[in-house]
Amino acid sequence: MSEKIEKAMGYFKEGKYKECIDAFSSVLETEPDNSDVYNNMGVAYSCIGDYEHALNCYTRAIELAPDMAQAYINLSDLYYKTDDIASAIGTLQRGSYELEDNLIIAHLLARAYIEDQRYEDAICELQRVLDGQPENYDAYYDLGHVYFELGDYDTAISNFENVLEYKEDSELLYYSLAQAYEANNEVDKAISNYLKAIAVNDKFTLAYKKVGILFMAREDYEDAIEYFESYTEFDIPDEEKNSVRKLIERIKTKV
């Protein structure tokens, strides 16, 4: 690494992005085809909110080095920031074509497809990721959400359960699994997983309300009251709090 590039990177680490950009510009005077410099300079521009120059830098980096995975990733992220999902997808599609074995880009493309509700395309990319990384629990988690959106709750549950082989301390995972069981009319398993979410994070507000509703539907009124009362102790809108308190009073008449 040249002294000028080290200086530029030093500015970046210090958060001096304009000085970093000037330093990288100086490097380009003698190294006009340095793709790494363009990519890094794009990151610096993005940090100061100058997305137009950042886009130009990433685009130039890709022109100079079509196999630079990070440039595709950075450019797609920039499009996300500007709510241009179509261009983000297009960028990742090109990156996936140029770097067909890069599973990071494939996974990001799958998530972009999910964002755009292109679920079948997302499934294809996620399966490709899992073919190369069969223990990628993030891909199983994403697949679970895709199948949930498609209404295939059994397959959603199967994918969420796969994640549990690698990660058991996530309230979001238990919550997602509970939702899938609830949608699949498996109330006891739904309750169990909402309670597991609460056990991991006792401030996970939504799980209290969800489990309260399911206890009420199962006519376990005392348990329903307990979790609804806990829910009202959280910082929730007054209108919601008052509505739940009225519900609690109605339930108490059944006990």
Side-chain angles (χ1 to χ4, degrees), residues 30-251:
T30 55
E31 301 178 42
D33 294 333
N34 191 319
S35 56
D36 288 321
V37 168
Y38 275 109
N39 181 57
N40 290 330
M41 192 157 65
V43 176
Y45 273 122
S46 183
C47 285
I48 62 173
D50 189 342
Y51 296 149
E52 182 177 354
H53 279 95
L55 186 150
N56 291 336
C57 286
Y58 294 142
T59 301
R60 182 59 177 155
I62 291 170
E63 289 174 351
L64 293 168
D67 60 347
M68 182 185 287
Q70 194 60 50
Y72 293 105
I73 293 169
N74 290 341
L75 181 56
S76 67
D77 183 62
L78 182 66
Y79 282 128
Y80 264 112
K81 289 178 180 177
T82 56
D83 296 320
D84 188 352
I85 186 65
S87 294
I89 289 173
T91 299
L92 292 168
Q93 285 174 330
R94 181 183 171 189
S96 185
Y97 174 80
E98 296 286 352
L99 299 154
E100 59 181 349
D101 294 328
N102 191 301
L103 298 182
I104 294 175
I105 290 178
H107 200 164
L108 290 173
L109 179 56
R111 287 177 169 173
Y113 284 142
I114 293 171
E115 182 81 14
D116 204 37
Q117 298 183 3
R118 293 170 58 175
Y119 298 128
E120 296 299 334
D121 290 329
I123 289 171
C124 289
E125 292 299 320
L126 289 169
Q127 291 290 0
R128 185 157 74 91
V129 171
L130 288 169
D131 286 343
Q133 298 176 337
E135 296 185 357
N136 188 325
Y137 61 79
D138 285 330
Y140 283 119
Y141 187 71
D142 290 335
L143 263 180
H145 282 291
V146 170
Y147 281 113
F148 183 88
E149 292 297 331
L150 291 172
D152 185 347
Y153 304 123
D154 284 327
T155 306
I157 289 166
S158 176
N159 279 283
F160 289 139
E161 293 281 6
N162 281 337
V163 182
L164 287 175
E165 295 183 17
Y166 310 104
K167 189 173 185 179
E168 296 184 353
D169 59 347
S170 170
E171 66 270 29
L172 291 176
L173 172 58
Y174 286 124
Y175 186 80
S176 297
L177 188 54
Q179 285 187 304
Y181 276 124
E182 182 180 355
N184 211 37
N185 294 317
E186 297 182 68
V187 175
D188 289 346
K189 290 182 179 180
I191 289 174
S192 174
N193 281 281
Y194 283 131
L195 292 176
K196 288 177 182 177
I198 292 170
V200 173
N201 179 1
D202 62 6
K203 295 181 175 58
F204 193 9
T205 312
L206 286 177
Y208 285 89
K209 183 178 181 180
K210 282 281 193 175
V211 80
I213 291 170
L214 291 184
F215 275 132
M216 182 175 66
R218 205 172 64 175
E219 298 185 354
D220 292 340
Y221 297 125
E222 291 184 357
D223 287 330
I225 290 170
E226 176 187 346
Y227 283 93
F228 280 138
E229 286 181 339
S230 295
Y231 176 63
T232 61
E233 292 173 4
F234 289 105
D235 184 18
I236 58 176
D238 289 339
E239 183 178 353
E240 169 77 352
K241 188 172 295 188
N242 292 332
S243 175
V244 173
R245 283 174 175 165
K246 290 177 181 178
L247 177 59
I248 292 170
E249 292 306 314
R250 290 201 298 273
I251 297 172

Side-chain angles (χ1 to χ4, degrees), residues 18-36:
K18 291 184 179 180
E19 290 87 343
C20 172
I21 291 166
D22 290 340
F24 276 134
S25 296
S26 177
V27 174
L28 290 175
E29 291 176 4
T30 55
E31 301 178 42
D33 294 333
N34 191 319
S35 56
D36 288 321

